Amino acid sequence: MRQMARTRCGAMTAALLTVAAAGSLMTGCSSGSSATDDGRAPAPSFSQGQETGPAQSPSSTAGAGPVLAVKIDNVSAARPQTGLDAADVVYAEQVEGGLSRLMAIYASKLPTAVGPVRSARESDLELLRQFDKPTLAFSGAQHKLLPVIAKAPLHAVSADQGSSAYYRSASKIAPHNLFLHPKQLMSSAPGAAALTTGFHFGAAPAGGSPETSRTVRFPAARFTFAWSASKHRWLVSMDGTPTVTTDGKRVAPATVVVQYVKVHNSKYHDVLGNNTPYTETVGSGTAKVLRDGKVFDVDWKRPTAGDGTEFTTTDGAPMNFAKGQVWVVFAKA
């Protein structure tokens, strides 16, 4: 059973801007290089701090539409990020060199801006299959991956296409300065019904063990979640630094999932020759769920790419998450 039913027949409400005739924008590799993922020299971009034209008029089409997924830079030069606190779900994945990158999913509301935006990975396509034709916003991708993205069941809107929804900010240096105006891609937020993740929300199950802090380590990155009894949230720190947004808000999800998955080499590499890890999100395994100052040992199952992920307690009952933002960190099993 799922609290959030899959919505395969919801009408599309995303209103997409026409592709501008501007030149390609620079995409980012996880190493922080100013080159694109496939080694091309970066093309001329928008002027520093320049914001593009007004948002498109809202569509009058009713019904739930697709979620917005945004690939977000997560190296130190990219922080603090913008709009991260407004996401319904934040996925943390391993990329080249053992670094981390985020994918933020927006359904309940669209923030004014999101970023810094960076490049897509092959694993993202499998992860996003659980949503109905999501809109994926990203800076670009390794050139051999682009045809694969084009064939995926999603609406890909890359900054390389010259979309005026993207702009460069003077607040950060390239390539960590690409931002997105979500409302120039989508007329409105589709609502919670578009979150076909398989997550259940409700009262905590019996059991669990007291937990005040949990750290998850990648080869060159780490995430720490510290329980705040006063906020009733998990305070996020990344690489030892408290995670705040550009407007000073502390990022604090209600539920954190440490999902143990298979991570192996893909056939893709970045410009420096580092292999791109592939994170398998279809299959089954174990996870740790943090909520209400406790940790719960659970099992996860996602039979096919078109399914959401079911989390169950040791007695087979659905694992309820606390209402609010959910972070899912993919740790190597």
Side-chain angles (χ1 to χ4, degrees), residues 83-144:
L84 196 58
D85 57 317
D88 293 271
V89 184
V90 176
Y91 293 102
E93 62 182 348
Q94 183 179 325
V95 292
E96 298 83 0
L99 295 167
S100 65
R101 189 157 293 178
L102 307 177
M103 180 188 286
I105 307 295
Y106 298 90
S108 298
K109 59 183 176 180
L110 298 177
T112 302
V114 176
V117 180
R118 289 302 293 270
S119 53
R121 297 294 184 273
E122 185 185 13
S123 299
D124 303 332
L125 307 182
E126 180 178 277
L127 179 61
L128 289 173
R129 283 286 305 280
Q130 65 192 304
F131 302 107
D132 185 16
K133 297 180 181 176
T135 295
L136 172 61
F138 61 110
S139 64
Q142 207 264 7
H143 74 283
K144 292 181 180 179

Side-chain angles (χ1 to χ4, degrees), residues 28-35 37 73 75 95-97 99 101 118 121 175-176 270-272 274:
C29 61
S30 62
S31 66
S33 168
S34 60
D37 284 340
D73 200 352
V75 295
V95 292
E96 298 83 0
L99 295 167
R101 189 157 293 178
R118 289 302 293 270
R121 297 294 184 273
H176 314 289
D270 69 6
V271 65
L272 299 178
N274 296 312

